[in-house]
Amino acid sequence: MKFLDQAKVFLRSGDGGAGCAAFRREKFIDHGGPNGGNGGRGGDVIFEVVDGLNTLIDFRYRQHFKAARGGAGEGSDRTGADAPPLVIQTPPGTEILDEDGETILADLTDVGDRLVFLRGGDGGFGNAHFKSSTNRAPRKCTPGWPGQERWVWLRLKLIADAGIVGLPNAGKSTFLAATSHAKPKIAGYPFTTLTPNLGVVRLDDREFVLADIPGLIEDAHQGAGLGTRFLGHVERSGVLLHLVDATQDNPAKAWRTVRHEIEAYGHGLADKPEIVALSKTDALSAEDIAKVRRKLARVAGKPPLVLSAASGAGVREAIGALLRIIDAGRIEEKIEQAADAPPVPWDPAARGAVVRDTGHG
Ligand SMILES: Nc1nc2c(ncn2[C@@H]2O[C@H](COP(=O)(O)OP(=O)(O)OP(=O)(O)O)[C@@H](O)[C@H]2O)c(=O)[nH]1
Ligand SMILES: [Mg+2]
């Protein structure tokens, strides 16, 4: 199963600035001659792969990208200014496709990759350019060359940063729907979700990808219910959100069942950080919540968070807790990458080593 994030955007590089027709006019200088400068180049449209982005969500808020026009030439042989490039930042793994959505035009894989996708138009010529032995005073100047424009698709394969696990009917899809733009099916019976759903969750200016997978039941690892095969979709995520329905009879047992299935599944999933949260707490009194929370804390080894995707209570805290663990994981990954990089050769001079003059010639 492939999860894709995609966005259609309009790109336009800048037009070149117009050339200028002007003549030198000074007191006592007759026939000063042409001195109109050339126009400046229009801005390029550049794609740049940056760290810290993992979705294309920003392109839902902005679809049109137009680079600036080059400056016009001026008299006294002044060339117009080149317009700055318009740099569009994308996450690693972004593909650029033609308007048809199929032809791949570019593949931006690594952080630091930079691609001049549309070149800005060249500036027009000023009349000084057209001066020749036969035409000493040309009045001709040309407009700038137009920039290029086109629609393209940006496409990114998503990998979940966090996964929601729990028994069927625990409120997993409701949580995803409440925190992202995803629209999973939600219903009051088990096994509503048959295949995983992904959504992009945003908190302030941070974002991450959250996966909602079908519920697990006892003996899922032996194929009961929908089995554990969808756990593969959260295998690469950095943290699990384990939702336990607070309104059911035995939340402690619910937690244990799911934990048992995760452990039986293997693949290192049981070692991932887990945030346990009681869901649907809007349906309980404060006293009942406290009671359930104590019971669950005894088996889970830590007090669970308390939330309701229906009322929104506690949802922000849960998202914040997930984000903290995801961030810590991202930093750790960077440290590992740095450790794998080839060592820099030892060079005493470069490190400012002091060579002492011993005075013995
Ligand atoms: N009162 C209340 N009901 C909720 C809340 N969250 C979910 N529900 C209800 O619980 C039922 C199950 O919700 P889902 O989100 O479909 O549960 P799920 O965990 O995705 O279920 P499966 O896909 O079957 O595994 C639905 O009827 C929801 O309306 C909540 O915060 N409060
Ligand atoms: Mg569901």
Side-chain angles (χ1 to χ4, degrees), residues 19-27 29-38 73-78 125-132 134-141:
C20 165
F23 291 91
R24 187 171 169 202
R25 284 182 210 283
E26 275 171 63
K27 220 174 178 180
I29 298 179
D30 225 5
H31 302 296
N35 70 354
N38 298 337
E74 289 178 35
S76 310
D77 287 316
R78 278 187 302 228
F125 291 121
N127 65 340
H129 173 85
F130 296 103
K131 183 177 163 186
S132 68
T134 52
N135 188 355
R136 311 292 294 172
R139 286 174 185 284
K140 182 177 172 184
C141 62

Side-chain angles (χ1 to χ4, degrees), residues 261-319:
E261 296 308 318
I262 289 173
E263 271 150 30
Y265 173 78
H267 299 277
L269 204 57
D271 302 328
K272 290 205 186 288
E274 176 197 40
I275 290 181
V276 183
L278 278 169
S279 62
K280 309 192 192 180
T281 51
D282 58 292
L284 295 186
S285 67
E287 275 167 34
D288 286 342
I289 294 173
K291 222 183 283 168
V292 178
R293 200 159 176 248
R294 269 197 303 276
K295 271 192 210 160
L296 188 50
R298 267 203 292 276
V299 286
K302 61 194 166 197
L305 298 181
V306 170
L307 64 87
S308 158
S311 75
V315 169
R316 199 184 153 86
E317 288 77 0
I319 294 294

Side-chain angles (χ1 to χ4, degrees), residues 84-330:
L86 177 75
V87 180
I88 303 175
Q89 299 189 323
T90 64
T94 305
E95 287 175 338
I96 303 174
L97 295 101
D98 205 356
E99 205 180 348
D100 63 11
E102 283 172 18
T103 319
I104 296 177
L105 303 173
D107 196 357
L108 303 165
T109 47
D110 301 314
V111 170
D113 280 357
R114 228 172 129 91
L115 169 72
V116 178
F117 189 72
L118 296 182
R119 278 178 57 86
D122 284 328
F125 291 121
N127 65 340
H129 173 85
F130 296 103
K131 183 177 163 186
S132 68
S133 55
T134 52
N135 188 355
R136 311 292 294 172
R139 286 174 185 284
K140 182 177 172 184
C141 62
T142 56
W145 293 91
Q148 304 165 290
E149 60 178 48
R150 73 192 294 176
W151 282 94
V152 292
W153 281 97
L154 304 182
R155 194 165 77 181
L156 177 70
K157 194 174 167 199
L158 291 181
I159 294 165
D161 298 300
I164 314 175
V165 294
L167 289 184
N169 225 28
K172 301 182 292 299
S173 302
T174 310
F175 186 85
L176 181 73
T179 54
S180 73
H181 284 295
K183 292 187 177 55
K185 188 173 169 197
I186 293 167
Y189 51 82
F191 301 118
T192 310
T193 301
L194 300 175
T195 55
N197 301 298
L198 285 199
V200 176
V201 180
R202 228 171 196 226
L203 182 71
D204 303 328
D205 60 340
R206 309 297 321 283
E207 61 189 38
F208 66 92
V209 180
L210 181 62
D212 156 40
I213 59 170
L216 297 169
I217 57 170
E218 199 171 341
D219 292 334
H221 69 282
Q222 291 173 347
L226 291 170
T228 51
R229 70 199 131 119
F230 296 111
L231 283 175
H233 289 281
V234 296
E235 232 173 74
R236 287 179 66 186
S237 65
V239 54
L240 299 177
L241 173 64
H242 186 161
L243 289 186
V244 179
D245 184 346
T247 65
Q248 59 173 346
D249 304 336
N250 196 342
K253 183 167 171 239
W255 179 85
R256 233 185 282 118
T257 303
V258 171
R259 269 322 287 180
H260 181 71
E261 296 308 318
I262 289 173
E263 271 150 30
Y265 173 78
H267 299 277
L269 204 57
D271 302 328
K272 290 205 186 288
E274 176 197 40
I275 290 181
V276 183
L278 278 169
S279 62
K280 309 192 192 180
T281 51
D282 58 292
L284 295 186
S285 67
E287 275 167 34
D288 286 342
I289 294 173
K291 222 183 283 168
V292 178
R293 200 159 176 248
R294 269 197 303 276
K295 271 192 210 160
L296 188 50
R298 267 203 292 276
V299 286
K302 61 194 166 197
L305 298 181
V306 170
L307 64 87
S308 158
S311 75
V315 169
R316 199 184 153 86
E317 288 77 0
I319 294 294
L322 291 173
L323 202 47
R324 274 193 293 282
I325 296 176
I326 292 167
D327 277 345
R330 284 175 187 163

